[in-house]
Amino acid sequence: MAMGTIRASGSDDGDDLGTAPMSEINVTPMVDVMLVLLIIFMVAAPLMTTGVPVQLPKTAAAKVAQSKKPMEVTIDKEGKPSIAKEVFTSETLVPRLRAMAAVDKDQVVLVRGDREVPYGKIMEVMGLVGQAGFTKVSLIAQAPGGAAPAAAPSGGAAQ
């Protein structure tokens, strides 16, 4: 904050009898700090949205446009399926998926599998998703250039 003086009269004779301290707040530094914080949060927010870390396989398939946020089932390196960071076994996954299907059967389910997980395990989890009542199931793969993950429609599920 800067402080200066304001002359009470318009005389320029040099005497300081007619001056009073100026007490205005300079908001420019506060605005600068707020803009820097805004940029930091805009950059950091997308980095905090991923769930269980997996290395996705690469594909050249085009992205599928989604109207609402799909549910993601993730299979980690050990082959354990999870939904929103909650790990399940094959026996406990089906009841949870059935409860979700009862709410919205037409919701799109994206299956993310680590590239080191055997294909059979990914197909087993996709079968459990279909068994729970979901009809729109897709696989997620990473684009060749390391770009954002692309959803590839699965062969056996209706889109």
Side-chain angles (χ1 to χ4, degrees):
M1 296 189 317
M3 292 194 57
T5 57
I6 300 175
R7 291 193 179 266
S9 63
S11 65
D12 287 335
D13 55 22
D15 66 341
D16 289 335
L17 296 176
T19 60
M22 182 175 83
S23 59
E24 294 179 6
I25 297 174
N26 187 1
V27 296
T28 304
M30 182 184 70
V31 170
D32 290 343
V33 169
M34 295 304 287
L35 287 174
V36 168
L37 288 174
L38 175 67
I39 292 170
I40 289 171
F41 283 113
M42 286 174 56
V43 170
L47 300 175
M48 296 185 284
T49 59
T50 54
V52 178
V54 293
Q55 293 183 1
L56 297 174
K58 299 184 185 309
T59 183
K63 290 184 180 180
V64 177
Q66 299 291 332
S67 59
K68 58 183 176 179
K69 186 172 169 110
M71 178 180 59
E72 289 187 7
V73 177
T74 304
I75 306 165
D76 62 7
K77 284 184 178 183
E78 289 80 32
K80 298 177 194 167
S82 63
I83 301 173
K85 295 185 180 180
E86 185 179 351
V87 180
F88 295 94
T89 63
S90 296
E91 294 79 29
T92 59
L93 182 64
V94 176
R96 173 74 171 173
L97 288 171
R98 282 193 179 137
M100 292 175 158
V103 175
D104 186 9
K105 197 175 214 178
D106 292 329
Q107 183 177 12
V108 175
V109 179
L110 300 177
V111 178
R112 300 172 63 214
D114 193 280
R115 75 174 88 178
E116 296 179 16
V117 175
Y119 180 71
K121 181 63 178 175
I122 293 174
M123 292 310 297
E124 176 187 334
V125 171
M126 287 185 71
L128 295 174
V129 171
Q131 189 179 28
F134 289 103
T135 57
K136 298 179 180 178
V137 183
S138 295
L139 292 172
I140 295 182
Q142 190 172 10
S154 63
Q159 279 293 333

